[in-house]
Amino acid sequence: MNKRLYRRNIKEKREIGVLHKKKRERFSVALVYPNLYHVGMSNLGFQIVYDLLNKRDDVLAERFFLPYEEEPLRSIESQSCLSSFDLIAFSISFENDYINILKILKLGEVPLLAEQRQSIYPLVIGGGVSVFLNPEPLSLFFDLFLLGEAEQNLDNVIDLLIDSYERFSSKSDLLLFIAKNEPSVYVPSFYKTEYNKDGTISSFYPIQKGIKEKVLIAKKFPLEDVAYSKIISSETEFSDRVVIEMARGCGRSCRFCAAGYIYRPPRYHDFETLTEAIQKALNKKGYVGLLSASIADVPSIDKILAFICEKGGKFSISSIRADAVNLRFLDYMKKAGQRQVTIAPEAGSERLRKVINKHLSEDKIINAVQLIAKKELSLKLYFILGLPTEEWEDVEEILRLIKLIKHCAVKEGAPKGRIIGIRVNVSCFVPKPFTPFQWVHMEEVDELKKKQKWLSKMIGKEGGIRVSFDVPKWAYVQTLLSLGDRRVAHMLLLAHKFNGNWKKAFKYSEFNPDFFVYREKEASELLPWDFMESGINKEYLYKEYKKALSCEESEICTTSPACKKCGVCKFLSL
Ligand code: SF4
């Protein structure tokens, strides 16, 4: 594609709210999202980092995305080359984007391996939630990782980099200086891993003097400003609205959910702060996307929704807890233009919902469905296949529950002659670090396929329900990249070499990926992410895991000041 056509394409993205700066003497950052433009610009975390960087007068940040096939790799703002920046900062939220990181470095003519990059700049740095869950599968490619929430640590690292610009003659000295001065900086080349004969990790320790054993996962506490999408682009999932972060973290303590643990303690804004931010957003667009892992837990949410409706605004929410669905809530949703309500039973059986600590009875699910049908809103349901302890009966229970839901929806809608639409999304369970399921293995791909095939056939017989499934082989890769140690980086490199062909990469790899994906771990095992300090006690997570195995629910996180349950509040000395 020629440059003119490329520029026209960028223009056609029609962005509102972009800051245009000149390079001059500023420290320059290439902020990269390792996926296509529309995916990256729909990610609030990426937008937060962009805003934090460009708020500074001494920094110029420009965005890069995985280019469409015919596009060159150039920054969105000035069409500059990747290697012309002082810092290349990747914002990484999903494991399946890892392969794109290598693709982008190659397109930008930046050597892939950190050890191959002799000159200090550009420095390659990684951050984002999947990095602070487990950076090890990316360890070969990054000079340093910044662990935790950017509002807490980004400014300090940028200050250190600017203050020490051209002060060090070697990259290693610069990295040492930064790692010593920011507790959430992790430089993989400063640590060594040793292994037992059975392949498990025997030790992980720093090999540089003055480098800490534990690297902190930084958290912003309390949250100050309300984060929202400053740039609105016609080419994103949220092209018509401003996305607002209503809360960070979630207190529900579902045992499979990484966000419910790594972002502890859950943090909320007060009513005044939120409505002030919402008002500003409404002035801009008239439509707000309310982002929260559990919107019903946001204090005064009813009042907030009423506020938006009174102002004549529209809002969207991604999903709502089934036990929080009530007629008032649904009225607000209808008024605000939302046509679909999403609830997530996750499992079909009461037993399995106890295993995952869902605190959700079938009665509550059915009650929610009846109310949604009464209000003539369509329904979307989320289920997960392959959860720990799942038996074939649990899969049958998914079908039974879907049938029951359909029956209730039909019964409620039939007198008015209006049957609501039902969509079902069935994902594959991927065990995540820092959760009670960090010790478990993933369900075998063939078994998942069998279950999916059966469910698809049986739901199909019902008619009127649209169902979609995750692809098990991608869940396998995601699990490998979630749970793997630094040996997995070599597999990633092979997958890149073979153009994303993981099957071929596994064939040529000296390590067996099943070791990371299909192996149940011992309580005493040293896990690849144990060197990071999140504040959560490993013993607490293991207790939760044991409770899960005996179908025992535990209390949710209530963020009460005296709580010492998981250790985070004590760690943060709240
Ligand atoms: S210590 Fe208690 S209140 Fe604090 S995050 Fe953990 S469970 Fe929640």
Side-chain angles (χ1 to χ4, degrees):
M1 179 188 281
N2 68 37
K3 214 167 180 179
R4 243 185 64 216
L5 189 53
Y6 174 66
R7 282 201 177 130
R8 210 192 71 205
N9 266 10
I10 295 298
K11 233 174 152 187
E12 279 172 2
K13 290 183 169 58
R14 276 176 290 152
E15 296 182 324
I16 304 168
V18 187
L19 260 179
H20 286 283
K21 282 176 156 183
K22 293 253 164 2
K23 237 179 184 171
R24 282 194 217 116
E25 294 297 290
R26 292 182 165 111
F27 185 75
S28 61
V29 182
L31 179 64
V32 192
Y33 193 90
N35 206 320
L36 297 172
Y37 175 93
H38 80 271
V39 184
M41 287 305 292
S42 305
N43 184 292
L44 186 58
F46 179 75
Q47 289 228 20
I48 291 173
V49 176
Y50 183 70
D51 186 49
L52 286 170
L53 289 167
N54 274 327
K55 247 185 201 164
R56 298 178 61 124
D57 195 42
D58 50 1
V59 171
L60 162 105
E62 299 198 353
R63 291 162 295 156
F64 283 82
F65 301 93
L66 181 71
Y68 292 94
E69 232 156 62
E70 69 279 22
E71 282 181 348
L73 180 75
R74 293 280 188 274
S75 69
I76 296 291
E77 287 76 2
S78 69
Q79 293 83 53
S80 301
C81 298
L82 186 69
S83 55
S84 67
F85 289 78
D86 298 315
L87 190 70
I88 300 174
F90 281 88
S91 171
I92 311 161
S93 296
F94 303 103
E95 293 85 359
N96 285 345
D97 288 342
Y98 289 4
I99 192 109
N100 296 334
I101 295 171
L102 305 195
K103 219 176 191 176
I104 288 170
L105 287 175
K106 189 173 176 220
L107 286 171
E109 293 172 359
V110 177
L112 301 186
L113 300 177
E115 64 178 24
Q116 291 171 334
R117 298 189 293 264
Q118 297 303 325
S119 57
I120 298 185
Y121 301 103
L123 213 57
V124 180
I125 156 174
V129 65
S130 61
V131 160
F132 57 87
L133 284 169
N134 180 16
E136 286 302 86
L138 289 171
S139 55
L140 286 182
F141 317 109
F142 282 83
D143 296 313
L144 71 87
F145 293 105
L146 196 52
L147 307 179
E149 298 169 17
E151 294 97 334
Q152 186 64 14
N153 55 14
L154 187 61
D155 262 339
N156 187 34
V157 166
I158 297 291
D159 283 344
L160 291 168
L161 284 168
I162 291 175
D163 292 350
S164 60
Y165 202 69
E166 289 179 349
R167 188 170 129 201
F168 295 99
S169 54
S170 82
K171 186 153 87 175
S172 177
D173 288 345
L174 170 69
L175 292 174
L176 197 58
F177 169 74
I178 298 170
K180 280 183 179 175
N181 286 286
E182 170 51 55
S184 60
V185 159
Y186 168 51
V187 179
S189 58
F190 290 169
Y191 293 79
K192 190 168 172 13
T193 314
E194 285 171 354
Y195 303 95
N196 295 308
K197 279 204 185 104
D198 64 2
T200 55
I201 298 172
S202 61
S203 57
F204 182 91
Y205 54 92
I207 46 173
Q208 283 276 357
K209 213 170 154 229
I211 288 295
K212 60 247 167 198
E213 273 178 30
K214 284 255 177 189
V215 187
L216 188 74
I217 298 176
K219 293 185 187 188
K220 182 76 183 160
F221 196 93
L223 283 181
E224 284 161 13
D225 302 334
V226 180
Y228 65 92
S229 51
K230 299 270 166 71
I231 302 174
I232 302 164
S233 161
S234 60
E235 259 197 49
T236 67
E237 221 179 290
F238 308 110
S239 56
D240 49 356
R241 70 203 93 158
V242 178
V243 179
I244 300 181
E245 185 188 45
M246 300 293 283
R248 190 165 295 178
C250 170
R252 291 280 135 188
S253 314
C254 298
R255 292 181 176 126
F256 61 87
C257 175
Y261 290 89
I262 204 69
Y263 287 115
R264 283 188 181 201
R267 283 150 284 168
Y268 303 100
H269 297 286
D270 60 35
F271 175 77
E272 283 71 29
T273 313
L274 271 179
T275 45
E276 199 181 304
I278 289 169
Q279 182 63 70
K280 272 191 209 156
L282 288 176
N283 293 344
K284 246 185 179 178
K285 227 23 195 167
Y287 190 0
V288 285
L290 308 180
L291 198 73
S292 168
S294 179
I295 194 77
D297 291 331
V298 171
S300 314
I301 186 66
D302 275 13
K303 270 168 71 187
I304 292 168
L305 300 187
F307 171 86
I308 299 171
C309 292
E310 270 163 31
K311 300 283 170 190
K314 280 173 141 192
F315 69 81
S316 68
I317 53 177
S318 52
S319 68
I320 181 168
R321 259 179 31 234
D323 56 351
V325 172
N326 59 48
L327 287 175
R328 205 172 55 248
F329 213 102
L330 296 177
D331 275 336
Y332 288 135
M333 288 176 84
K334 268 194 103 165
K335 223 171 175 179
Q338 196 146 345
R339 297 280 162 261
Q340 176 178 275
V341 183
T342 303
I343 58 173
E346 321 284 15
S349 65
E350 296 274 6
R351 185 196 73 81
L352 206 45
R353 284 198 295 276
K354 284 202 166 91
V355 169
I356 61 174
N357 207 34
K358 189 72 193 175
H359 290 271
L360 186 61
S361 67
E362 190 162 295
D363 288 350
K364 284 177 181 163
I365 298 170
I366 296 306
N367 181 50
V369 171
Q370 284 166 339
L371 296 177
I372 293 164
K374 196 181 201 127
K375 286 289 166 189
E376 298 178 15
L377 287 152
S378 62
L379 178 65
K380 189 170 180 187
L381 301 160
Y382 282 130
F383 288 95
I384 306 174
L385 267 185
L387 283 164
T389 79
E390 182 182 86
E391 298 286 346
W392 191 258
E393 296 86 72
D394 298 299
V395 184
E396 289 170 351
E397 284 284 280
I398 294 180
L399 178 67
R400 185 193 60 76
L401 183 57
I402 291 174
K403 279 179 167 178
L404 182 62
I405 287 171
K406 189 188 167 194
H407 173 77
C408 293
V410 169
K411 203 170 150 199
E412 199 62 54
K416 293 183 232 160
R418 169 89 174 85
I419 312 296
I420 65 165
I422 301 176
R423 290 173 65 184
V424 178
N425 181 279
V426 188
S427 61
C428 301
F429 168 67
V430 172
K432 292 282 179 174
F434 293 106
T435 68
F437 292 155
Q438 63 180 354
W439 290 275
V440 308
H441 60 84
M442 185 189 143
E443 165 98 274
E444 298 230 353
V445 165
D446 285 347
E447 204 53 36
L448 283 166
K449 280 188 191 163
K450 226 188 276 167
K451 290 174 179 177
Q452 287 186 343
K453 205 172 161 195
W454 182 82
L455 266 179
S456 172
K457 192 173 113 199
M458 299 309 281
I459 297 173
K461 280 186 187 170
E462 281 302 298
I465 300 172
R466 279 168 62 195
V467 60
S468 58
F469 294 95
D470 269 5
V471 180
K473 73 171 181 189
W474 290 122
Y476 181 96
V477 172
Q478 199 192 344
T479 304
L480 175 71
L481 297 172
S482 284
L483 303 181
D485 59 37
R486 47 179 68 186
R487 291 170 290 187
V488 170
H490 297 278
M491 293 189 217
L492 190 56
L493 198 57
L494 282 173
H496 166 74
K497 190 175 151 196
F498 298 131
N499 284 325
N501 186 338
W502 281 95
K503 208 170 166 192
K504 206 165 168 192
F506 296 151
K507 193 175 155 201
Y508 287 94
S509 168
E510 60 176 300
F511 309 109
N512 181 355
D514 288 357
F515 175 80
F516 301 100
V517 179
Y518 288 155
R519 186 176 58 88
E520 192 85 23
K521 298 175 209 68
E522 297 288 329
S524 57
E525 184 171 332
L526 191 59
L527 303 173
W529 47 92
D530 278 350
F531 72 93
M532 293 188 287
E533 182 56 83
S534 73
I536 301 180
N537 297 326
K538 201 173 169 186
E539 299 72 34
Y540 161 81
L541 292 177
Y542 196 72
K543 258 191 219 158
E544 281 296 308
Y545 170 42
K546 285 288 162 195
K547 279 187 177 179
L549 294 183
S550 49
C551 298
E552 210 185 309
E553 281 180 330
S554 60
E555 281 171 56
I556 62 168
C557 158
T558 52
T559 60
S560 79
C563 180
K564 292 192 178 69
K565 250 185 293 168
C566 78
V568 168
C569 292
K570 189 166 172 242
F571 181 76
L572 294 172
S573 300
L574 302 180

